[in-house]
Structure formats: structure tokens, C-alpha cells
Amino acid sequence: MEGWQRAFVLHGRPYSETSLLVDLFSESDGRVRVLAKGARARRSSLKGCLQPFTPLLVRWSGRGEVKTLRNAEPVSLALPLTGTMLYCGLYINELLSRVLEHETNYSALFFDYLHCLQQLAALNSAPEPALRCFELALLGYLGYGVDFLHCAGSGEPVADTMTYRYREEKGFIASLIVDNSSFTGRQLRALDAREFPDADTLRAARRFTRMALKPWLGGRPLKSRELFRQFVPKTPSGGAE
């Protein structure tokens, strides 16, 4: 890549004595892995800026799976995520690292990601709505299209008090069975609108996104989720992430 583009660090790990192997989420090329040579050296200009949640301008070169980072400059200070919000930020970073294909354009998702981080940085209360909206946006960009507003069996609009059971690759079908895969029409309307006015709709959104993301994540648990459980008490709605 010759020109500069906006990016965020999703994850970085030491590589050799002075370098870093970094996963970036970039505006035009999506998830890119770069080798930041000498980034851990004492006098490196990269040492302070290759941190998660810092808006960057970056350039890299190379044709292999791992590119060589040429330049990285912070656009502004890191978004101030602390406490619960920090764990939530780590969660969405790990989510992107796990589900996005390498070097695939997700430019619209890049701005959903930025918006989610800005919401987390500004929040003084529960972060669940911001996380659920981001997860639903991510599923949409992955090609996971679901009609929340119509019964997959009859094609009729969902009714607020009717129960619908989710069936993978089919959608929501009216059912008298009430279990972890069932949702009311009211909950489905909230999912479609990405608006969660109460704890009931938030819990439903969390159930659905967990269910829908599971095939993309495989059997490996999310490390950020485990950290969250260890250090952050559960919220009444069942946990932020």
C-alpha cells in the first residue's frame, strides 16, 4: 500500500527483541497484519502510538500475508476507555480479529467501529446498547442477513405478543415453544431498529448476537470475555459483553 490510511490497532505482540507483530483494522484494507520493526526499541517513534484505541494514519508495504509497517502517526490521543468500557473495547477488538477476513474492505464497518468506541468513551452508564448495535452491524457486513420483521413461515409481519423461534438460515418462525431460541415480535422489532428501550429487549439482543456469532467464533472462547468475567461484576442485564 503506497498511501496513508486511517487505522486502529486491534492487537499487538512482541516479535524478536525489538519488534512487534500488529493486527490493524484499516479503513480501506480491513484487517491487516504488519511487522513493526524496532517498535519496541527505546528510542522508536512507534513505541507509544501502536496501542489499541488510538486513531492512526499508517503506511505499509509488502505482498505477503505479513506486511512491513513503514510509518504510523497518531491522529489524536487514545480514546479514554477505562474500567468496564476498556474490557468492552478489548471485546470488540478481539471479535474483529477473530471474524474478519484478511485484507478485505470493510470501510463502512470501520466507521461503525469508530462510533462504538466513541460511545464507550463517552458513556457514564451501561455499555450494552452500543455493543449490541455494533454486533448487529458486524453480522450484517459478514453477510448474515436476517429479516426480523416477517415470519419466515408465512411471510406475515411479526406481531408484538407472538413468539417466534429462530432457525439458522431460515429466520424466525411462529412457534408456541419458548426457549433460548425464541423471541417475541416486540423483541424482534427492537433488533431490527437497533433500539433497546428496556432490559427485556437488551437481553433478547444479547441472546441473538451470541447465537448468531457462535458459528463465526467456533469452539474457542473469547479471551476478553473471560477477563471480563474475572474482574468485572455482572450487571442486572447479564453482563456488558
Side-chain angles (χ1 to χ4, degrees):
M1 185 199 74
E2 297 297 329
W4 295 83
Q5 67 172 288
R6 289 179 283 193
F8 283 89
V9 170
L10 295 178
H11 177 70
R13 64 178 184 271
Y15 185 88
S16 76
E17 290 187 6
T18 59
S19 299
L20 282 173
L21 199 59
V22 180
D23 277 352
L24 297 173
F25 182 36
S26 64
E27 181 179 354
S28 300
D29 290 72
R31 185 165 67 94
V32 179
R33 182 163 293 171
V34 298
L35 177 62
K37 295 181 178 178
R40 299 170 62 214
R42 181 176 299 179
R43 297 184 179 180
S44 172
S45 60
L46 297 173
K47 192 171 185 179
C49 71
L50 293 179
Q51 301 294 328
F53 318 125
T54 299
L56 300 171
L57 284 174
V58 298
R59 288 196 310 132
W60 63 78
S61 63
R63 295 185 178 181
E65 183 177 339
V66 179
K67 316 299 183 185
T68 299
L69 185 68
R70 295 302 179 193
N71 301 93
E73 297 180 0
V75 177
S76 65
L77 296 175
L79 290 159
L81 301 183
T82 59
T84 298
M85 305 307 171
L86 175 59
Y87 287 103
C88 292
L90 294 173
Y91 164 71
I92 63 172
N93 276 9
E94 186 176 8
L95 204 55
L96 293 179
S97 294
R98 291 276 295 272
V99 306
L100 294 187
E101 295 182 1
H102 277 280
E103 298 180 52
T104 300
N105 186 308
Y106 292 102
S107 56
L109 179 62
F110 181 86
F111 289 98
D112 282 312
Y113 171 79
L114 174 59
H115 181 62
C116 184
L117 290 184
Q118 289 171 332
Q119 285 184 301
L120 293 176
L123 284 175
N124 295 314
S125 57
E128 287 94 331
L131 293 180
R132 300 297 84 85
C133 286
F134 180 74
E135 290 166 340
L136 288 166
L138 175 59
L139 286 164
Y141 294 122
L142 292 173
Y144 198 93
V146 178
D147 184 353
F148 294 108
L149 298 181
H150 297 87
C151 173
S154 66
E156 294 291 322
V158 298
D160 282 1
T161 56
M162 178 69 76
T163 300
Y164 300 86
R165 198 159 186 268
Y166 177 68
R167 295 186 183 177
E168 193 172 346
E169 298 183 0
K170 291 185 178 180
F172 294 91
I173 298 176
S175 173
L176 296 176
I177 299 173
V178 177
D179 60 14
N180 195 55
S181 299
S182 58
F183 301 81
T184 65
R186 177 178 178 271
Q187 292 168 342
L188 294 181
R189 290 183 188 279
L191 280 163
D192 183 74
R194 297 181 189 174
E195 295 178 357
F196 313 108
D198 50 39
D200 175 67
T201 51
L202 271 176
R203 283 193 296 265
R206 185 170 182 263
R207 275 196 297 120
F208 175 75
T209 55
R210 283 282 182 94
M211 191 185 309
L213 285 167
K214 189 175 180 179
W216 296 94
L217 296 172
R220 288 191 297 133
L222 289 163
K223 294 179 181 178
S224 54
R225 188 173 287 163
E226 295 303 315
L227 284 172
F228 187 91
R229 287 171 178 165
Q230 288 177 35
F231 297 109
V232 181
K234 283 190 176 182
T235 66
S237 63
E241 45 64 68

